[in-house]
Amino acid sequence: MNKLTIDLESRKVVHQTSDDQSEYAFDSKEAFELISDAWLNAGWDTKHVYSFSWLGRPIIQLPEDMLRLQEVLYKVKPDLIIETGVAHGGSLIFFATLCKALNKGRVLGVDIEIRPHNRKAIEEHELFSYITLIEGSSVEQKIVDNVKSDIKENETVFIMLDSCHTKDHVLKELYAYAPLVSVGSYIVAADGIMNLVVGAPRTSDDWKWNNPKEAALEFVKENPNFIIDTPDFDFNESSLEKPITYWPSGYIKRIR
Protein backbone atom coordinates (compact mmCIF):
# COMPACT_ATOMS: atom_id res chain seq x y z
CA MET A 1 0.00 0.00 0.00
CA ASN A 2 1.17 3.50 -0.81
CA LYS A 3 -1.44 6.11 0.08
CA LEU A 4 -1.04 9.88 0.22
CA THR A 5 -3.68 12.06 1.87
CA ILE A 6 -3.54 15.84 1.44
CA ASP A 7 -5.77 17.72 3.87
CA LEU A 8 -5.92 21.37 2.88
CA GLU A 9 -8.09 22.34 5.87
CA SER A 10 -5.69 21.04 8.50
CA ARG A 11 -2.70 21.65 6.20
CA LYS A 12 -1.38 18.17 6.82
CA VAL A 13 -0.01 15.48 4.53
CA VAL A 14 -0.31 11.85 5.60
CA HIS A 15 1.74 9.13 3.93
CA GLN A 16 0.63 5.59 4.63
CA THR A 17 2.43 2.43 3.54
CA SER A 18 1.94 -1.23 4.47
CA ASP A 19 4.48 -0.82 7.27
CA ASP A 20 4.15 2.74 8.49
CA GLN A 21 2.18 5.98 8.60
CA SER A 22 3.78 9.42 8.73
CA GLU A 23 2.20 12.85 9.08
CA TYR A 24 3.83 16.09 7.97
CA ALA A 25 2.97 19.76 8.12
CA PHE A 26 1.94 21.10 4.73
CA ASP A 27 4.85 23.58 4.68
CA SER A 28 7.53 20.96 5.45
CA LYS A 29 10.08 19.77 2.92
CA GLU A 30 8.90 16.19 3.53
CA ALA A 31 5.35 17.10 2.50
CA PHE A 32 6.63 18.95 -0.55
CA GLU A 33 8.72 15.96 -1.65
CA LEU A 34 5.79 13.54 -1.27
CA ILE A 35 3.42 15.84 -3.16
CA SER A 36 6.06 16.39 -5.84
CA ASP A 37 6.50 12.65 -6.36
CA ALA A 38 2.74 12.29 -6.76
CA TRP A 39 2.71 15.27 -9.13
CA LEU A 40 5.47 13.71 -11.24
CA ASN A 41 3.44 10.51 -11.49
CA ALA A 42 0.31 12.43 -12.47
CA GLY A 43 2.36 14.39 -14.98
CA TRP A 44 3.56 11.16 -16.54
CA ASP A 45 -0.01 9.93 -16.88
CA THR A 46 -1.15 13.19 -18.49
CA LYS A 47 2.01 13.67 -20.65
CA HIS A 48 2.68 17.02 -18.97
CA VAL A 49 6.14 17.37 -20.55
CA TYR A 50 4.56 17.14 -23.99
CA SER A 51 3.07 20.60 -23.55
CA PHE A 52 6.16 22.85 -23.86
CA SER A 53 8.26 24.35 -26.61
CA TRP A 54 11.49 26.35 -26.69
CA LEU A 55 11.69 29.15 -29.27
CA GLY A 56 9.22 27.39 -31.51
CA ARG A 57 10.33 23.76 -31.18
CA PRO A 58 8.71 21.11 -28.93
CA ILE A 59 11.13 20.31 -26.12
CA ILE A 60 9.51 17.38 -24.19
CA GLN A 61 11.40 18.09 -20.96
CA LEU A 62 10.40 19.00 -17.44
CA PRO A 63 10.87 22.79 -17.15
CA GLU A 64 12.64 22.53 -13.78
CA ASP A 65 15.17 20.13 -15.29
CA MET A 66 15.99 22.61 -18.04
CA LEU A 67 16.21 25.59 -15.71
CA ARG A 68 18.59 23.75 -13.39
CA LEU A 69 20.52 22.44 -16.39
CA GLN A 70 21.28 25.99 -17.49
CA GLU A 71 22.74 26.66 -14.04
CA VAL A 72 25.20 23.83 -14.65
CA LEU A 73 26.00 24.91 -18.20
CA TYR A 74 26.65 28.47 -17.05
CA LYS A 75 29.29 27.18 -14.64
CA VAL A 76 30.84 24.62 -17.00
CA LYS A 77 30.70 26.92 -20.08
CA PRO A 78 31.28 24.08 -22.54
CA ASP A 79 32.81 24.57 -25.96
CA LEU A 80 30.75 21.63 -27.24
CA ILE A 81 27.41 20.26 -26.05
CA ILE A 82 26.63 16.79 -27.42
CA GLU A 83 23.08 15.44 -27.23
CA THR A 84 21.98 11.94 -28.22
CA GLY A 85 18.30 11.94 -29.08
CA VAL A 86 17.08 14.83 -31.22
CA ALA A 87 13.29 14.28 -31.52
CA HIS A 88 11.74 17.66 -32.45
CA GLY A 89 14.96 19.55 -31.71
CA GLY A 90 13.75 21.66 -28.79
CA SER A 91 16.66 20.76 -26.54
CA LEU A 92 19.15 21.49 -29.31
CA ILE A 93 17.61 24.94 -29.74
CA PHE A 94 17.71 25.41 -25.94
CA PHE A 95 21.43 24.59 -25.91
CA ALA A 96 22.04 26.85 -28.92
CA THR A 97 20.27 29.68 -27.08
CA LEU A 98 22.72 29.36 -24.19
CA CYS A 99 25.67 29.23 -26.58
CA LYS A 100 24.52 32.48 -28.18
CA ALA A 101 23.87 34.13 -24.80
CA LEU A 102 27.31 33.13 -23.51
CA ASN A 103 28.98 33.88 -26.84
CA LYS A 104 30.62 30.48 -26.58
CA GLY A 105 30.00 26.95 -27.70
CA ARG A 106 28.24 24.86 -30.30
CA VAL A 107 25.84 21.93 -30.27
CA LEU A 108 26.00 18.48 -31.85
CA GLY A 109 22.84 16.34 -32.04
CA VAL A 110 22.85 12.61 -32.75
CA ASP A 111 19.76 10.54 -33.56
CA ILE A 112 19.17 7.20 -35.24
CA GLU A 113 16.42 8.86 -37.29
CA ILE A 114 15.93 12.57 -37.78
CA ARG A 115 12.54 12.82 -39.38
CA PRO A 116 12.44 15.05 -42.46
CA HIS A 117 9.94 17.56 -41.03
CA ASN A 118 11.99 17.90 -37.83
CA ARG A 119 15.26 18.27 -39.75
CA LYS A 120 13.68 20.94 -41.94
CA ALA A 121 12.39 22.88 -38.94
CA ILE A 122 15.75 22.68 -37.14
CA GLU A 123 17.74 23.66 -40.21
CA GLU A 124 15.43 26.63 -40.84
CA HIS A 125 15.64 27.85 -37.25
CA GLU A 126 17.38 31.14 -36.49
CA LEU A 127 19.89 29.37 -34.24
CA PHE A 128 20.81 26.51 -36.58
CA SER A 129 24.25 28.03 -37.19
CA TYR A 130 25.19 26.72 -33.73
CA ILE A 131 24.01 23.16 -34.46
CA THR A 132 25.40 20.12 -36.29
CA LEU A 133 23.18 17.09 -36.90
CA ILE A 134 24.46 13.50 -37.21
CA GLU A 135 22.04 10.74 -38.20
CA GLY A 136 22.77 7.20 -37.06
CA SER A 137 22.79 5.02 -33.96
CA SER A 138 24.53 6.80 -31.11
CA VAL A 139 26.36 3.59 -30.14
CA GLU A 140 27.54 2.63 -33.64
CA GLN A 141 31.31 2.99 -33.75
CA LYS A 142 31.41 5.07 -36.92
CA ILE A 143 28.95 7.53 -35.36
CA VAL A 144 30.99 7.72 -32.15
CA ASP A 145 34.12 8.31 -34.24
CA ASN A 146 32.30 11.04 -36.17
CA VAL A 147 31.42 12.76 -32.90
CA LYS A 148 35.00 12.46 -31.64
CA SER A 149 36.32 14.04 -34.81
CA ASP A 150 34.29 17.17 -34.07
CA ILE A 151 36.05 17.80 -30.74
CA LYS A 152 39.00 20.16 -30.92
CA GLU A 153 42.02 19.97 -28.65
CA ASN A 154 41.49 21.30 -25.11
CA GLU A 155 37.77 21.90 -25.61
CA THR A 156 35.38 21.56 -22.67
CA VAL A 157 32.72 18.97 -23.50
CA PHE A 158 29.30 18.41 -21.90
CA ILE A 159 27.08 15.49 -22.94
CA MET A 160 23.34 14.81 -22.67
CA LEU A 161 22.04 11.26 -23.20
CA ASP A 162 18.37 11.31 -24.17
CA SER A 163 17.88 8.68 -26.87
CA CYS A 164 16.87 5.06 -26.18
CA HIS A 165 16.36 4.72 -22.41
CA THR A 166 16.98 1.00 -21.83
CA LYS A 167 19.67 0.22 -19.30
CA ASP A 168 21.76 -1.63 -21.89
CA HIS A 169 21.66 1.20 -24.43
CA VAL A 170 22.46 3.91 -21.88
CA LEU A 171 25.37 1.85 -20.54
CA LYS A 172 26.71 1.51 -24.08
CA GLU A 173 26.38 5.28 -24.54
CA LEU A 174 28.13 5.94 -21.25
CA TYR A 175 31.09 3.77 -22.17
CA ALA A 176 31.26 5.32 -25.64
CA TYR A 177 30.88 8.98 -24.70
CA ALA A 178 31.99 9.43 -21.09
CA PRO A 179 35.69 9.40 -22.11
CA LEU A 180 34.92 12.53 -24.17
CA VAL A 181 33.68 14.49 -21.12
CA SER A 182 36.05 17.06 -19.68
CA VAL A 183 37.16 16.89 -16.06
CA GLY A 184 34.71 18.96 -14.03
CA SER A 185 31.99 18.57 -16.66
CA TYR A 186 29.08 16.14 -16.84
CA ILE A 187 27.42 13.45 -18.88
CA VAL A 188 23.71 13.40 -18.01
CA ALA A 189 21.51 10.30 -18.34
CA ALA A 190 17.95 11.56 -18.76
CA ASP A 191 14.68 9.93 -17.68
CA GLY A 192 15.76 7.84 -14.71
CA ILE A 193 12.24 8.57 -13.47
CA MET A 194 11.15 5.42 -15.33
CA ASN A 195 11.49 3.24 -12.24
CA LEU A 196 9.19 5.58 -10.26
CA VAL A 197 6.24 5.43 -12.68
CA VAL A 198 5.96 1.66 -13.21
CA GLY A 199 2.28 0.74 -13.43
CA ALA A 200 1.27 4.01 -15.07
CA PRO A 201 0.18 4.21 -18.71
CA ARG A 202 3.01 3.86 -21.24
CA THR A 203 5.23 1.87 -18.86
CA SER A 204 6.53 -1.70 -18.54
CA ASP A 205 7.20 -3.79 -15.44
CA ASP A 206 10.88 -4.16 -16.36
CA TRP A 207 11.31 -0.39 -15.95
CA LYS A 208 11.96 -1.15 -12.26
CA TRP A 209 15.51 -2.07 -13.33
CA ASN A 210 15.64 -1.37 -17.05
CA ASN A 211 16.20 2.39 -16.98
CA PRO A 212 18.89 5.08 -17.24
CA LYS A 213 19.27 5.51 -13.48
CA GLU A 214 20.38 1.90 -13.07
CA ALA A 215 22.80 2.35 -15.97
CA ALA A 216 24.27 5.46 -14.34
CA LEU A 217 24.70 3.78 -10.98
CA GLU A 218 26.38 0.75 -12.53
CA PHE A 219 28.66 2.91 -14.65
CA VAL A 220 30.03 4.99 -11.77
CA LYS A 221 30.49 1.85 -9.67
CA GLU A 222 32.78 0.48 -12.36
CA ASN A 223 34.47 3.77 -13.32
CA PRO A 224 36.13 5.65 -10.43
CA ASN A 225 36.84 8.71 -12.59
CA PHE A 226 33.11 9.51 -12.43
CA ILE A 227 30.60 10.12 -9.64
CA ILE A 228 26.88 10.73 -9.37
CA ASP A 229 26.77 14.41 -8.49
CA THR A 230 23.37 16.11 -8.48
CA PRO A 231 24.34 19.80 -8.54
CA ASP A 232 23.48 21.93 -5.52
CA PHE A 233 21.04 24.80 -5.97
CA ASP A 234 22.91 27.94 -7.02
CA PHE A 235 20.38 30.04 -5.14
CA ASN A 236 18.20 28.69 -2.35
CA GLU A 237 16.25 30.64 0.25
CA SER A 238 13.77 27.78 0.62
CA SER A 239 13.70 24.83 3.00
CA LEU A 240 14.06 22.45 0.06
CA GLU A 241 17.10 20.36 -0.79
CA LYS A 242 16.09 18.13 -3.71
CA PRO A 243 15.10 19.11 -7.24
CA ILE A 244 11.87 17.98 -8.84
CA THR A 245 13.30 15.98 -11.70
CA TYR A 246 12.83 13.38 -14.40
CA TRP A 247 16.59 12.70 -14.11
CA PRO A 248 17.24 11.19 -10.63
CA SER A 249 20.91 10.17 -10.28
CA GLY A 250 21.35 11.39 -13.84
CA TYR A 251 24.20 13.89 -13.41
CA ILE A 252 27.46 11.99 -13.81
CA LYS A 253 30.49 14.18 -13.16
CA ARG A 254 34.01 13.46 -14.33
CA ILE A 255 36.30 14.14 -11.39
CA ARG A 256 39.68 13.09 -12.89
Side-chain angles (χ1 to χ4, degrees):
M1 179 172 61
N2 186 13
K3 184 178 180 181
L4 188 68
T5 303
I6 301 172
D7 188 334
L8 294 178
E9 289 189 10
S10 66
R11 301 189 65 77
K12 300 285 186 181
V13 173
V14 178
H15 184 216
Q16 187 174 359
T17 66
S18 301
D19 302 319
D20 191 26
Q21 177 173 306
S22 302
E23 181 178 296
Y24 302 101
F26 195 70
D27 61 355
S28 66
K29 68 178 181 180
E30 292 84 2
F32 182 85
E33 290 171 1
L34 287 167
I35 294 169
S36 296
D37 285 344
W39 179 80
L40 286 172
N41 271 271
W44 184 274
D45 294 354
T46 57
K47 298 180 73 172
H48 173 242
V49 297
Y50 286 77
S51 65
F52 300 97
S53 65
W54 184 268
L55 297 187
R57 297 306 301 152
I59 193 166
I60 314 180
Q61 299 285 3
L62 194 68
E64 178 161 338
D65 279 327
M66 302 311 288
L67 193 59
R68 298 203 181 280
L69 179 57
Q70 65 79 29
E71 294 178 347
V72 173
L73 292 171
Y74 182 71
K75 287 183 284 189
V76 173
K77 292 184 173 60
D79 298 287
L80 177 63
I81 300 169
I82 300 166
E83 180 178 39
T84 64
V86 168
H88 299 276
S91 294
L92 294 181
I93 302 301
F94 174 87
F95 293 136
T97 304
L98 296 180
C99 290
K100 182 172 184 178
L102 294 172
N103 196 29
K104 180 180 183 181
R106 65 194 190 284
V107 186
L108 194 159
V110 181
D111 203 305
I112 195 168
E113 179 188 10
I114 304 173
R115 295 179 180 177
H117 65 283
N118 287 329
R119 177 184 286 276
K120 182 175 185 291
I122 295 167
E123 291 179 347
E124 291 178 352
H125 197 276
E126 297 92 328
L127 295 175
F128 180 64
S129 61
Y130 291 89
I131 298 170
T132 299
L133 296 173
I134 297 177
E135 188 164 13
S137 171
S138 60
V139 295
E140 188 177 351
Q141 190 57 51
K142 69 177 183 180
I143 299 298
V144 176
D145 290 342
N146 196 354
V147 171
K148 288 180 181 178
S149 70
D150 199 75
I151 302 172
K152 300 177 177 63
E153 188 176 1
N154 297 322
E155 285 196 317
T156 298
V157 177
F158 174 95
I159 301 178
M160 185 83 199
L161 304 179
D162 195 16
S163 59
C164 175
H165 296 306
T166 65
K167 179 182 178 181
D168 179 67
H169 184 85
V170 176
L171 264 176
K172 288 178 179 177
E173 286 188 321
L174 285 168
Y175 275 97
Y177 291 97
L180 309 182
V181 174
S182 308
V183 174
S185 186
Y186 295 83
I187 182 167
V188 179
D191 284 350
I193 191 179
M194 288 166 59
N195 74 317
L196 301 176
V197 295
V198 172
R202 304 178 296 114
T203 70
S204 301
D205 287 342
D206 71 346
W207 284 15
K208 294 175 183 177
W209 61 268
N210 191 13
N211 62 70
K213 178 180 177 180
E214 292 302 315
L217 293 173
E218 183 171 322
F219 178 79
V220 298
K221 184 177 180 180
E222 297 174 352
N223 293 272
N225 290 341
F226 296 85
I227 61 170
I228 301 293
D229 182 45
T230 303
D232 294 331
F233 297 169
D234 276 0
F235 169 76
N236 189 10
E237 292 184 354
S238 75
S239 62
L240 307 178
E241 300 172 351
K242 299 178 182 178
I244 303 170
T245 183
Y246 266 38
W247 309 340
S249 300
Y251 278 88
I252 303 166
K253 185 176 184 178
R254 185 167 189 172
I255 56 174
R256 55 180 175 266

